[in-house]
Amino acid sequence: MAKAKVAAKPTVKKYSNYINGEWVKPQSGEYFDNVNPADTSDIVGRFPLSNADDVNSAVEAAKNAATRWRRTPAPKRAEILFNLAEILRDNKDEFTTQMTREMGKVTKEAGGDVQEAIDCTYYTAGEGRRLHGFTTPAEMPNKFAMAVRQPVGICGLITPFNFPMAIPSWKLIPALVCGNTVVLKSGEDVPLSSLNLIKACEQAGIPKGVVNLVNGARDAGAALVENHDVRLISFTGSTTTGRVIAERCAHDNKIVSLEMGGKNAIIVMDDADVDNAVEGSLWGAFGTSGQRCTASSRLVVHKKIYKKFCEKLVEKVKKLRVGNGLDPRTDVGPVINQAQMEKILGYIDIGANQDKATLAVGGNRLTKGDYGKGFFIEPTVFTNVKPTMRIAQEEIFGPVTCVIPFSTLDEAIDIVNGVAYGLSSAIYTQDVNQAFYAMQELYTGICYVNSATIGAEVHLPFGGTKGTGNGHREAGTQVLDIFSEWKSLYIDYSGKLQKAQIDEVEI
Ligand code: UN1
């Protein structure tokens, strides 16, 4: 009798943490599955579910490496980072495919993500030959005064799922060029992209202990925040988690940089090029399946063109092809996991049944055929949305946008500013006066004219006001203010005690 054929299960690769220059098994002994959100039967890899012991060993390694790295001249540190940029560039295609497999976004966007990491590395490594301080006159004769940047020490980096290589690079590269050592806790849905970045650091010649990677979930992140040797936490993620982190960091007086939620809006004026505005809105809202903190989740449209705009938008949204991001025909990939999918569907339900907005297109999970294997949601547009509705106030982080009508520019600006967040905003208009007025009045960290709320470039400061952040900016040269501290230096070459110094003490 012929034996029934049993398909051999592909073996799933087990990955390690990277601590003190070694790839090591977790002390916890536990692992989690990295699941492809487009096909949950596809396990991308098995990654350490690290505990506090794992995190503490990584911090110890970073501590031991700190003095040597701090004393390495910044241009030398930068040279190694330029090697890193080249390794990332050489492996871009492979990193891109792996990112789409673990995260879901279409390969074009995943390629953009890797490219952002490359750009960030080249740009920020250049700071190794600048890291400018300043000189300034001293109050006394024969005295010199200047201020220099010094590293802060050990930096804990906690990163999200939506930009699996770009966001870790925004934190890692400036931390290193400034002379800090680092422990990275990668987003638990996307550990492979962080691992690729760290492996590239190893290949580039970054000395052991300078960069450490612990994979894991909430417990690992918490252990990093609680560790007293960690001097700085840089976090990108939800506003709720960010607040908890900031509170815990306060006990240790840790420096904390937070990059959190958004509820970004595009204003479309009645003089705008409507087709251009529709196209921008489409990608701003549905690119990365709406899972960007810069996503255009509110479209604030002038009443005179509201109907036309909505019709054109809905028509375009109907044509978007949802599917596996590895398929080049796909426009919109899956959302990241079951919990996020349920949260997004919950908001769609709120929009339709509680807020009672008009569900113009979309609104459902896709389950037919291959869709059933993943977390696919139809691109969704709500119209006739009032600015106070929950779907117009709360961050949904999925392929859902709402169209809000307005009559005057001041009213539109109030709508845009009338949320708890302040990351990104945009205005479509042909009128230079309106554009400049909006740029002045929109209280966000980033503002675009005639393009959507997404697409920030790495050499400009990135971050937001209000609930989006805590005043810091990543990217640009401004990020150096997170990862370095100022030291003021006074050099008296008069050879005597100058009286004013004593007067100052006496006062
Ligand atoms: C984010 O969503 O957390 O500006 C970052 C953009 C991207 C970065 C987004 N360059 O949309």
Side-chain angles (χ1 to χ4, degrees):
M1 202 173 75
K3 271 193 191 166
K5 268 194 190 156
V6 180
K9 273 208 166 154
T11 46
V12 178
K13 194 167 168 190
K14 246 188 191 176
Y15 291 88
S16 300
N17 287 330
Y18 183 67
I19 298 176
N20 204 27
E22 308 276 341
W23 292 96
V24 292
K25 292 197 172 92
Q27 294 173 51
S28 69
E30 288 183 71
Y31 289 82
F32 66 94
D33 286 347
N34 179 8
V35 177
N36 178 344
D39 174 2
T40 54
S41 67
D42 176 28
I43 309 299
V44 179
R46 211 148 267 155
F47 287 77
L49 189 63
S50 306
N51 62 16
D53 293 337
D54 296 302
V55 171
N56 295 341
S57 326
V59 173
E60 195 58 28
K63 198 174 164 184
N64 293 335
T67 304
R68 206 174 136 216
W69 185 244
R70 170 170 64 77
R71 288 183 184 163
T72 304
K76 273 264 164 271
R77 297 197 292 257
E79 259 173 46
I80 305 177
L81 296 174
F82 281 121
N83 291 341
L84 172 63
E86 276 164 33
I87 294 166
L88 296 177
R89 189 197 56 198
D90 293 347
N91 291 281
K92 182 177 169 184
D93 290 347
E94 194 190 338
F95 291 168
T96 298
T97 313
Q98 289 181 346
M99 186 185 291
T100 295
R101 193 174 156 212
E102 74 173 347
M103 189 274 173
K105 64 177 153 190
V106 297
T107 42
K108 215 168 142 209
E109 289 182 358
D113 189 314
V114 178
Q115 188 58 46
E116 219 167 294
I118 297 168
D119 295 343
C120 169
T121 308
Y122 275 120
Y123 171 76
T124 316
E127 280 306 312
R129 286 193 181 268
R130 286 185 291 268
L131 283 179
H132 293 310
F134 62 91
T135 64
T136 186
E139 289 175 359
M140 292 286 104
N142 297 331
K143 197 174 168 192
F144 191 87
M146 62 185 167
V148 298
R149 293 181 182 277
Q150 59 182 345
V152 300
I154 300 164
C155 301
L157 316 179
I158 304 175
T159 53
F161 74 83
N162 63 337
F163 278 80
M165 194 174 277
I167 293 181
S169 79
W170 291 0
K171 301 179 189 302
L172 181 68
I173 310 305
L176 294 176
V177 84
C178 287
N180 305 288
T181 56
V182 165
V183 177
L184 168 64
K185 203 296 269 174
S186 61
E188 56 264 42
D189 290 296
V190 290
L192 185 55
S193 296
S194 287
L195 189 130
N196 285 336
L197 177 63
I198 299 301
K199 228 179 188 164
C201 289
E202 183 189 25
Q203 285 167 20
I206 293 178
K208 67 172 188 166
V210 172
V211 167
N212 304 277
L213 171 71
V214 279
N215 299 280
R218 195 168 275 262
D219 286 355
L224 196 53
V225 173
E226 299 293 345
N227 189 302
H228 298 301
D229 287 324
V230 174
R231 193 57 205 112
L232 176 152
I233 293 288
S234 173
F235 167 81
T236 299
S238 77
T239 301
T240 321
T241 309
R243 283 209 183 104
V244 174
I245 289 177
E247 278 168 18
R248 295 209 188 148
C249 286
H251 294 293
D252 265 349
N253 291 321
K254 280 188 175 66
I255 299 165
V256 55
S257 150
L258 304 171
E259 197 54 64
M260 304 175 287
K263 191 70 190 174
N264 317 289
I266 297 177
I267 298 174
V268 186
M269 298 303 294
D270 52 348
D271 70 331
D273 174 335
V274 175
D275 290 323
N276 192 21
V278 166
E279 202 65 21
S281 302
L282 191 72
W283 297 111
F286 302 114
T288 325
S289 306
Q291 302 169 110
R292 292 192 190 214
C293 47
T294 53
S296 310
S297 58
R298 294 180 297 155
L299 310 174
V300 184
V301 180
H302 197 284
K303 277 187 176 147
K304 276 194 193 152
I305 53 156
Y306 189 80
K307 198 165 168 267
K308 184 159 115 192
F309 178 91
C310 290
E311 279 167 11
K312 285 188 182 236
L313 180 70
V314 167
E315 190 190 310
K316 290 251 172 191
V317 171
K318 281 186 182 153
K319 290 195 183 124
L320 289 175
R321 285 159 307 198
V322 179
N324 190 322
L326 291 170
D327 181 339
R329 289 165 305 181
T330 299
D331 295 313
V332 180
V335 299
I336 191 70
N337 58 34
Q338 179 86 27
Q340 279 298 119
M341 182 177 71
E342 282 167 11
K343 185 181 158 208
I344 297 161
L345 292 171
Y347 268 111
I348 293 172
D349 185 53
I350 289 168
N353 300 316
Q354 199 175 310
D355 290 338
K356 302 216 183 304
T358 308
L359 180 56
V361 60
N364 301 298
R365 179 184 177 185
L366 292 161
T367 50
K368 266 199 194 138
D370 281 349
Y371 284 131
K373 294 188 195 163
F375 308 118
F376 294 96
I377 297 180
E378 288 172 337
T380 300
V381 177
F382 281 104
T383 54
N384 300 318
V385 175
K386 293 198 179 73
T388 49
M389 288 177 176
R390 282 188 66 188
I391 52 165
Q393 287 285 325
E394 297 173 27
E395 186 178 46
I396 300 174
F397 224 64
V400 181
T401 194
C402 12
V403 201
I404 306 171
F406 75 90
S407 311
T408 65
L409 178 54
D410 276 323
E411 187 192 341
I413 288 167
D414 284 346
I415 293 170
V416 178
N417 288 341
V419 291
Y421 304 101
L423 182 55
S424 184
S425 57
I427 181 166
Y428 278 82
T429 179
Q430 315 272 6
D431 179 337
V432 71
N433 296 342
Q434 294 191 136
F436 270 83
Y437 182 69
M439 282 191 271
Q440 172 187 287
E441 294 300 316
L442 291 168
Y443 185 42
T444 53
I446 306 167
C447 181
Y448 294 86
V449 176
N450 292 328
S451 68
T453 55
I454 61 168
E457 301 179 21
V458 296
H459 52 296
L460 278 82
F462 182 91
T465 62
K466 301 187 280 185
T468 297
N470 62 339
H472 292 288
R473 292 291 182 269
E474 300 197 280
T477 49
Q478 288 66 25
V479 70
L480 304 174
D481 288 333
I482 300 175
F483 290 102
S484 64
E485 287 180 293
W486 286 105
K487 185 188 271 175
S488 298
L489 300 166
Y490 299 94
I491 303 105
D492 189 320
Y493 55 97
S494 67
K496 59 182 186 213
L497 183 65
Q498 302 211 58
K499 192 160 174 310
Q501 289 179 4
I502 302 170
D503 292 347
E504 194 181 278
V505 174
E506 280 174 353
I507 291 164

